Amino acid sequence: PRAQTVDEMRGTRKQFCAKQLEKGISEYEEATNPDLPLYHEEFVDDLAATSMARLWDVGKTEPIKVGKASPTEGTMPTSIYLILKYFSLYPATPGKAFAEGVRANVMIGGDNASRSVAVGMILGAISGTEEVFGGSNEYGESWKSGLKSYDQVTQWIERVEQNCEMGHTEL
């Protein structure tokens, strides 16, 4: 199945994506295997992410003073790692998988904003709105109440759903 994921791509893009996908899956397998040392580390996600990222040149000659370096080559495999790990840890409680995956991404630091797009989007899609803002996500209600436009967006979504059901194209 791994090879099928990038089969539609061509050339350099295919090679790059295949390499990043393999790094993410491999690190996930290492970090979730109790027979391997990484599994037992306190900061397992941080170590896994760091091992997949290429350091910027500034980090090689002088300390980085503003946080961890995370060039693009590290954001894709780390996102894959986080999605796989947290969905597999909490398959019966997708809201918890979402919350813990998002929390882990933030705690890793570095370019967590870039990773958050994929991590939040995929774990959120798997979880669904009810789980993200409640269900097995212990933070969901406070997240929902903290959003100023939650009620308005919910109304818009309901209108779109009604129009789709009725076949209308205008809102």
Side-chain angles (χ1 to χ4, degrees):
R2 291 182 192 183
Q4 294 171 348
T5 306
V6 291
D7 270 352
E8 297 298 315
M9 297 178 195
R10 304 265 189 271
T12 306
R13 181 175 49 152
K14 180 177 182 175
Q15 293 167 353
F16 175 82
C17 289
K19 181 178 178 185
Q20 304 315 311
L21 180 65
E22 189 56 41
K23 283 196 304 190
I25 292 170
S26 177
E27 204 64 27
Y28 155 74
E29 290 171 342
E30 181 182 355
T32 57
N33 184 340
D35 296 330
L36 297 175
L38 182 59
Y39 175 89
H40 302 283
E41 292 288 338
E42 181 179 2
F43 300 104
V44 60
D45 294 331
D46 189 38
L47 292 169
T50 302
S51 74
M52 291 183 277
R54 171 183 61 84
L55 290 177
W56 288 333
D57 291 335
V58 69
K60 295 178 183 175
T61 58
E62 61 186 71
I64 298 171
K65 298 177 179 140
V66 293
K68 207 177 298 171
S70 299
T72 304
E73 294 93 326
T75 60
M76 184 176 176
T78 302
S79 298
I80 292 164
Y81 161 83
L82 289 167
I83 292 162
L84 292 172
K85 180 179 179 190
Y86 285 93
F87 184 69
S88 71
L89 284 175
Y90 307 104
T93 52
K96 184 162 182 70
F98 174 82
E100 292 301 318
V102 168
R103 182 199 56 76
N105 179 51
V106 170
M107 295 302 291
I108 289 170
D111 193 5
N112 56 20
S114 292
R115 293 188 309 266
S116 71
V117 173
V119 172
M121 183 173 41
I122 304 236
L123 288 177
I126 291 168
S127 300
T129 307
E130 296 301 319
E131 282 288 321
V132 168
F133 292 114
S136 58
N137 178 358
E138 64 185 286
Y139 312 107
E141 190 57 42
S142 66
W143 289 353
K144 181 168 70 174
S145 65
L147 296 173
K148 292 179 182 178
S149 299
Y150 180 83
D151 292 334
Q152 179 64 50
V153 171
T154 301
Q155 290 173 6
W156 291 339
I157 291 170
E158 289 170 0
R159 286 178 61 194
V160 169
E161 288 173 343
Q162 289 170 355
N163 286 324
C164 289
E165 288 172 6
M166 297 185 317
H168 293 278
T169 57
E170 293 183 31
L171 289 179

